[in-house]
């Protein structure tokens, strides 16, 4: 742990951070997010001397995986993988931006959302979510990759990486399961948040989807997101860079 630094004039205090090193590589996160990782690991991590191997397989370990060493190794893997996915630069992290906690509360209370389709152990709101690195995230509650996720019913939040091809693939993936749910008469819902891209085919596909029940556009200056790198940046929230659409 490293103590918080005294703030300069007009600045907020820097958060206390945790620094973890392995084989000469170091990663950091705030104490708040370190505690969050520990709580997720205690809830979803391996028990009884097991460890999580590649692809989520459970393997026997010489020491109890729930101990400090098992948690710290697993947390280092999560932090290092996310740092690499973000480009290995402290100014990166835009592809991991998240909705505000208050928005998640509304989605849960009003629409019954119980899991996230695109999240990580560091930015998830709920304990169950799909993630880009399930081999290291599974011990922290990941359900696996969204592309391997096959829900039959329920309500889910989706705030995917703001990439045209990813959004197109996500829509096609969702439509397959919505069609199956319709055929069975099962209730299935996705709440999707992406930039407002009216000139892009991926945005129009969501707008014109036959399963689309509601559409809301938000002006850029009227809303924001949680920082993708909130686990080590000073500010947790930022104003959006663009108009957004909710489907």
């Amino acid at each position: 742990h490293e103590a918080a630094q005294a703030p300069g004039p007009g600045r907020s205090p820097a958060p206390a951070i945790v620094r973890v090193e392995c084989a000469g590589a170091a990663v950091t996160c705030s104490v708040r997010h370190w505690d969050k990782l520990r709580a997720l690991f205690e809830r979803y991590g391996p028990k009884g001397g097991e460890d999580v191997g590649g692809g989520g397989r459970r393997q026997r370990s010489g020491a109890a995986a729930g101990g400090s060493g098992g948690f710290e190794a697993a947390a280092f893997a999560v932090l290092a993988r996310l740092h690499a996915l973000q480009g290995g630069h402290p100014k990166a992290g835009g592809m991991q931006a998240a909705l505000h906690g208050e928005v998640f509360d509304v989605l849960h209370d009003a629409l019954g959302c119980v899991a996230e389709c695109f999240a990580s152990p560091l930015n998830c709101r709920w304990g169950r979510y799909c993630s880009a690195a399930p081999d290291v995230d599974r011990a922290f509650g990941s359900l696996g990759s969204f592309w391997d996720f096959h829900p039959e019913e329920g309500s889910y939040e989706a705030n995917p990486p703001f990439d045209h091809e990813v959004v197109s693939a996500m829509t096609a993936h969702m439509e397959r399961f919505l069609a199956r749910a319709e055929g069975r008469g099962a209730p299935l819902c996705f709440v999707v948040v992406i930039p407002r891209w009216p000139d892009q085919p991926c945005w129009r596909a969501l707008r014109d989807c036959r399963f689309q029940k509601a559409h809301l556009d938000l002006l850029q200056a009227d809303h924001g997101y949680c920082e993708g790198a909130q686990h080590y940046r000073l500010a947790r929230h930022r104003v959006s860079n663009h108009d957004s659409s909710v489907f």
Side-chain angles (χ1 to χ4, degrees):
H1 288 64
E2 298 181 10
Q5 300 176 353
R11 299 185 62 187
S12 300
I17 64 170
V18 174
R19 176 184 174 92
V20 191
E21 295 187 17
C22 179
V27 291
T28 61
C29 76
S30 69
V31 169
R32 175 180 179 179
H33 284 83
W34 184 257
D35 291 342
K36 175 183 179 179
L37 288 177
R38 187 182 296 278
L40 289 172
F41 188 81
E42 289 176 352
R43 184 185 304 175
Y44 299 111
K47 303 294 191 298
E50 293 179 337
D51 201 354
V52 175
R57 297 186 304 273
R58 297 194 180 278
Q59 303 171 341
R60 297 300 301 177
S61 171
S68 176
F71 162 69
E72 290 175 0
F76 175 88
V78 165
L79 290 163
R81 179 68 65 84
L82 183 58
H83 188 56
L85 289 173
Q86 292 180 172
H89 195 283
K91 291 186 177 181
M95 299 297 280
Q96 292 282 338
L99 306 185
H100 287 234
E102 294 85 349
V103 177
F104 279 112
D105 291 343
V106 170
L107 294 180
H108 178 272
D109 295 342
L111 297 174
C113 288
V114 295
E116 301 164 65
C117 296
F118 299 90
S120 78
L122 291 155
N123 72 5
C124 66
R125 174 67 172 183
W126 302 310
R128 304 305 271 172
Y129 54 90
C130 297
S131 67
D135 58 320
V136 297
D137 296 343
R138 201 175 298 275
F140 298 88
S142 174
L143 297 167
S145 168
F146 172 70
W147 312 116
D148 297 324
F149 186 50
H150 306 288
E152 297 182 354
E153 61 180 45
S155 186
Y156 306 91
E157 179 269 354
N159 177 218
F162 296 158
D163 175 88
H164 301 155
E165 292 185 0
V166 170
V167 173
S168 292
M170 174 200 71
T171 302
H173 193 61
M174 290 177 173
E175 285 182 329
R176 285 193 291 272
F177 299 110
L178 288 166
R180 293 177 187 175
E182 181 182 53
R184 296 191 307 270
L188 179 62
C189 173
F190 296 97
V191 180
V192 178
V193 181
I194 62 169
R196 185 177 183 274
W197 289 328
D199 296 332
Q200 293 297 328
C202 63
W203 186 91
R204 295 197 297 269
L206 277 167
R207 181 198 62 189
D208 300 335
C209 175
R210 70 183 182 90
F211 297 108
Q212 194 260 107
K213 300 299 184 182
H215 171 200
L216 173 68
D217 288 331
L218 304 172
L219 295 177
Q220 175 267 331
D222 292 343
H223 73 292
Y225 291 87
C226 291
E227 281 281 6
Q230 59 181 275
H231 57 286
Y232 62 79
R233 285 189 179 172
L234 178 60
R236 185 163 184 254
H237 303 101
R238 63 174 173 82
V239 176
S240 177
N241 296 328
H242 46 72
D243 294 349
S244 294
S245 294
V246 183
F247 296 99

